[in-house]
Amino acid sequence: MKIVIIGASAAGISAAKTIKSTKPDTEIVIISKEDRIHSRCMLHKFLGHERDAQGISFVNEDFFEKNNITLLNNTTVIGLEPDKKIVKTHDNQDISYDKLLIATGASYFIPPIPGLRESKNVYGFRDLKDAQLLDTECLTAKNAVVIGAGLVGMDAVAALLERGLKVTVIEMTADIMSLQLDKKSAQAYQQLFEKEGAEFILNDKVVSVDVNAVGRGEMVHLASGKAVPADVIVIAAGVRPAFRFVEESEIKTNHAILVGDDLQTNINGIYAAGDVNGIAGIWPNAMKQGKIAALNMLGENLRYDDRYALKNTMNFYGLTTLSLGNINPEDEEKCDIFTREDRNNYQKIVIRNGIIQGVIMQGNINGSGFWQYLIKNKIDVSGINKDIFDLSFADFYGINQENGEYNYAV
Amino acid sequence: MKRIIIDREKCDGCLNCNVACISAHEEGSNFYTVNLQSIDSETRNFIKFDPKTGYTPIFCRHCDEPECVLSCMSGALEKDPKTGHVQYDETKCAACYMCVMNCPYGVLKPDNKTHTKVIKCDFCEDKPDGPSCVKACPKHAIEVKEVSL
Ligand SMILES: Cc1cc2nc3c(=O)[nH]c(=O)nc-3n(C[C@H](O)[C@H](O)[C@H](O)COP(=O)(O)OP(=O)(O)OC[C@H]3O[C@@H](n4cnc5c(N)ncnc54)[C@H](O)[C@@H]3O)c2cc1C
Ligand code: SF4
Ligand code: SF4
């Protein structure tokens, strides 16, 4: 059997690994528009000159040879013909498959703000290529403007500060990383970034960019009337699943490629895993989906049920935070909120009717993995008679007598 | 594969396993010289106490389907196909702590001093006679056994 995988990142590589360790004689072709494998979660380490391109790879250099996988890099898929079982590439190759996995992830989005799309010095922060282009800009640029203070934007800010640029961050909401943090935990990070030299303009948005005679944006204008000079601009205002090449096929999409619980599209034998199917936008979920889609392509009938995606960790300047679920509930949600603080920690638990809705652990995140299980599985903790901050897996301890694995006794 | 099998009833919370783990991962250290006050002293296994249920040993299971490996974005965590043990390569790790978040049993933690590494049971892979915690347990609450994958 020949399996073709489009996209060589979390979902695609995890699928290929799974296939090779399950049925090693399966023929695999991976098509990627990028030059080399890398983990985009480490792009800031590349741009900050902490690691080189191989240093941010998440597979060994001999991965493809050793596993006998064909990699067609620098190759972009431009169309599909499901009835002929063929993938079409930009360089006019027709690549046939028996089963197909679409793992093309997402790409960044430049909002239609006058001057922004036109400026040559506007970059996203998604692919190694973006980081390489920014790297070159950093050789001459002095002022950087980062639009969007989400996790991706803040990764870029950290790297640009590392390179000695003066960085101004522009964000529409009142706080940075507002999907993951509440005001207090966000401010802790904001102060750390400010100490490194970053400047924040919050509650404001970009309305236009002045483009100079050679096509570079040089002044960023905001709704408040402020203007910020820029030698280089990074846009981190969100991503969109990348599936343009299926638009002329019968594959069903909405804002993403639609898949069932088996991660198969509406077309038999074509699967989609990772950011491209819109279920989640984080690495662990893309890996797990790649694995499940791979096993299903090999004939299993597994369901992907780990749909919980409101989870993240962050680590800037040594301050670590775990963030899960709904951490900024509205009054009408009628949640109880518990907080606990000491010199090095800020902790918050949001709970409703005994079910934990959200958790922030900032500072000490030791052994905090069990919280996700409690939230994801809506475990009722109201019967446990102890301070909620002292919960641990021990309160749900179960063990499989056969093989010694743990399970949750709930 | 080999797994540390836990008998919770036998544990009486003496923490010899913690001391053995700390000392096993400290160059030239032993039970008598190990400095428990040092910020570098990190145990990879934990004993939780609750007045109702008593002591609960929380040790890495080197899971059949390790969530920590599936969450790792740098390739630092891998399940060794030969031993079945989940091993950690500090040089690859990006300290993103997705693995800490994803271990369902709360076994993993950042290192105390720098928050640049993960503290993870390595099954004392370099020690000829196996996990140091197991040898140190006077109650045989933890024992190495062969389990089928
Ligand atoms: C800067 C940054 C930091 C992040 N940090 C974290 C983090 O700390 N933790 C976390 O969990 N997640 C993080 N994420 C999110 C995480 O990187 C993604 O969820 C993950 O990469 C998704 O993997 P994927 O395989 O679905 O898609 P992607 O990683 O997007 O890979 C898709 C691949 O397909 C290729 N491709 C796309 N279209 C085509 C085509 N037409 N033809 C050929 N190839 C194509 C692309 O070039 C790419 O290589 C971060 C993302 C960014 C950008
Ligand atoms: S760290 Fe947690 S998830 Fe990983 S192998 Fe150990 S017990 Fe399993
Ligand atoms: S902290 Fe290190 S080992 Fe853990 S998921 Fe991140 S890169 Fe992998």
Side-chain angles (χ1 to χ4, degrees):
Chain A
M1 180 161 69
K2 180 176 175 188
I3 293 180
V4 171
I5 299 171
I6 317 175
S9 183
I13 296 287
S14 138
K17 267 192 183 167
T18 306
I19 294 165
K20 281 296 172 182
S21 63
T22 314
K23 269 198 190 141
D25 57 345
T26 313
E27 183 185 351
I28 303 181
V29 177
I30 304 189
I31 310 170
S32 169
K33 70 176 161 65
E34 292 182 273
D35 181 34
R36 54 188 301 152
I37 309 302
H38 60 92
S39 168
R40 47 203 89 250
C41 318
M42 291 194 279
L43 282 183
H44 59 291
K45 292 193 179 277
F46 175 85
L47 182 57
H49 282 186
E50 194 184 318
R51 294 191 189 185
D52 61 10
Q54 180 54 33
I56 63 162
S57 174
F58 63 102
V59 294
N60 292 333
E61 249 165 321
D62 60 355
F63 174 78
F64 294 96
E65 268 168 59
K66 217 171 117 192
N67 290 292
N68 193 18
I69 295 169
T70 308
L71 172 67
L72 301 178
N73 59 349
N74 299 315
T75 307
T76 304
V77 171
I78 54 162
L80 295 183
E81 288 185 22
D83 43 338
K84 291 193 201 141
K85 293 195 164 189
I86 277 173
V87 168
K88 297 189 150 311
T89 68
H90 78 286
D91 51 355
N92 298 321
Q93 298 184 65
D94 285 351
I95 296 162
S96 68
Y97 61 84
D98 297 314
K99 296 261 165 83
L100 178 67
L101 177 63
I102 301 172
T104 43
S107 35
Y108 64 85
F109 169 76
I110 306 184
I113 293 167
L116 193 63
R117 280 188 188 165
E118 297 80 354
S119 297
K120 284 184 197 150
N121 54 338
V122 171
Y123 302 91
F125 199 54
R126 178 84 195 174
D127 299 338
L128 179 57
K129 184 144 152 274
D130 300 323
Q132 283 165 334
L133 293 169
L134 277 166
D135 185 34
T136 310
E137 292 277 2
C138 281
L139 299 176
T140 51
K142 286 194 177 62
N143 296 308
V145 169
V146 175
I147 305 172
L151 282 172
V152 170
M154 295 318 291
D155 269 0
V157 173
L160 293 167
L161 288 171
E162 191 66 36
R163 294 293 295 278
L165 273 70
K166 161 120 194 35
V167 185
T168 306
V169 188
I170 297 157
E171 167 59 47
M172 279 198 308
T173 62
D175 295 294
I176 66 173
M177 301 185 277
S178 57
L179 293 176
Q180 289 81 22
L181 302 173
D182 66 354
K183 188 156 221 70
K184 192 170 168 65
S185 49
Q187 281 176 351
Y189 280 116
Q190 187 175 331
Q191 280 164 14
L192 288 173
F193 276 97
E194 280 167 348
K195 229 162 73 192
E196 299 295 318
E199 199 172 305
F200 290 88
I201 302 178
L202 305 171
N203 284 317
D204 209 344
K205 60 182 184 192
V206 178
V207 289
S208 68
V209 176
D210 293 344
V211 186
N212 70 12
V214 290
R216 294 173 64 91
E218 54 179 18
M219 192 59 83
V220 178
H221 295 278
L222 308 182
S224 61
K226 284 185 192 144
V228 187
D231 301 313
V232 58
I233 300 170
V234 177
I235 179 82
V239 295
R240 303 275 185 273
F243 57 81
R244 239 201 356 237
F245 59 93
V246 309
E247 268 162 13
E248 292 190 353
S249 72
E250 308 88 87
I251 293 181
K252 284 211 179 104
T253 60
N254 50 10
H255 68 286
I257 294 188
L258 289 168
V259 289
D261 282 345
D262 57 356
L263 301 178
Q264 193 165 205
T265 65
N266 60 308
I267 306 224
N268 217 331
I270 302 185
Y271 293 74
D275 286 11
V276 75
N277 66 23
I279 298 176
I282 55 174
W283 190 271
N285 295 44
M287 294 265 285
K288 205 175 204 177
Q289 289 174 28
K291 182 172 172 175
I292 288 182
L295 292 170
N296 286 345
M297 289 193 286
L298 295 177
E300 301 238 20
N301 187 14
L302 301 171
R303 295 159 62 87
Y304 178 79
D305 51 14
D306 191 0
R307 287 178 181 258
Y308 199 79
L310 282 174
K311 53 181 184 182
N312 245 305
T313 48
M314 59 195 88
N315 183 6
F316 293 106
Y317 307 112
L319 180 63
T320 48
T321 304
L322 166 80
S323 159
L324 297 168
N326 180 1
I327 35 95
N328 289 313
E330 304 288 339
D331 288 346
E332 56 269 27
E333 294 181 70
K334 299 211 174 356
C335 294
D336 293 319
I337 295 175
F338 299 93
T339 56
R340 185 163 88 168
E341 268 178 77
D342 64 29
R343 199 180 332 155
N344 302 314
N345 293 283
Y346 170 63
Q347 306 179 327
K348 174 173 180 177
I349 295 175
V350 177
I351 192 162
R352 188 175 55 213
N353 300 332
I355 313 285
I356 300 171
Q357 310 293 318
V359 170
I360 294 175
M361 297 280 149
Q362 186 168 60
N364 184 339
I365 61 164
N366 294 358
S368 55
F370 72 96
W371 290 107
Q372 183 189 167
Y373 190 94
L374 301 185
I375 294 188
K376 199 157 74 175
N377 296 289
K378 304 192 171 67
I379 310 279
D380 190 341
V381 299
S382 53
I384 301 171
N385 192 12
K386 66 158 71 161
D387 187 335
I388 188 154
F389 290 101
D390 293 336
L391 290 183
S392 76
F393 171 66
D395 298 301
F396 311 93
Y397 181 86
I399 201 148
N400 175 332
Q401 299 296 347
E402 292 285 290
N403 65 13
E405 288 219 80
Y406 287 141
N407 50 49
Y408 272 74
V410 284
Chain B
M1 67 173 267
K2 290 192 164 58
R3 185 170 278 143
I4 297 173
I5 301 295
I6 299 163
D7 187 344
R8 185 202 211 180
E9 309 303 317
K10 287 187 183 156
C11 174
D12 66 2
C14 71
L15 300 182
N16 272 307
C17 53
N18 282 192
V19 180
C21 181
I22 292 168
S23 131
H25 295 88
E26 214 171 82
E27 199 77 41
S29 142
N30 64 42
F31 189 86
Y32 299 99
T33 61
V34 66
N35 174 7
L36 297 180
Q37 301 301 316
S38 163
I39 196 168
D40 294 315
S41 290
E42 300 261 21
T43 175
R44 287 142 183 79
N45 46 50
F46 309 92
I47 308 292
K48 297 278 179 191
F49 175 70
D50 182 276
K52 274 205 301 291
T53 47
Y55 299 99
T56 306
I58 307 220
F59 283 54
C60 174
R61 298 295 74 209
H62 295 274
C63 299
D64 293 355
E65 295 283 342
E67 290 281 349
C68 60
V69 174
L70 269 182
S71 66
C72 181
M73 48 81 142
S74 71
L77 286 165
E78 293 265 8
K79 190 169 174 72
D80 187 313
K82 281 197 219 72
T83 63
H85 295 142
V86 173
Q87 294 299 0
Y88 167 65
D89 181 346
E90 187 182 314
T91 62
K92 288 187 183 158
C93 175
C96 72
Y97 299 136
M98 291 309 262
C99 57
V100 172
M101 174 181 85
N102 263 23
C103 168
Y105 316 117
V107 171
L108 297 179
K109 67 185 287 288
D111 71 297
N112 283 331
K113 187 154 84 187
T114 63
H115 292 184
T116 58
K117 297 181 285 210
V118 174
I119 301 298
K120 157 108 191 45
C121 166
D122 57 4
F123 218 80
C124 285
E125 213 79 294
D126 57 337
K127 311 256 181 324
D129 39 357
S132 309
C133 51
V134 171
K135 280 181 294 170
C137 178
K139 306 290 286 185
H140 302 284
I142 42 175
E143 300 224 329
V144 173
K145 291 198 180 130
E146 188 69 36
V147 294
S148 59
L149 254 185

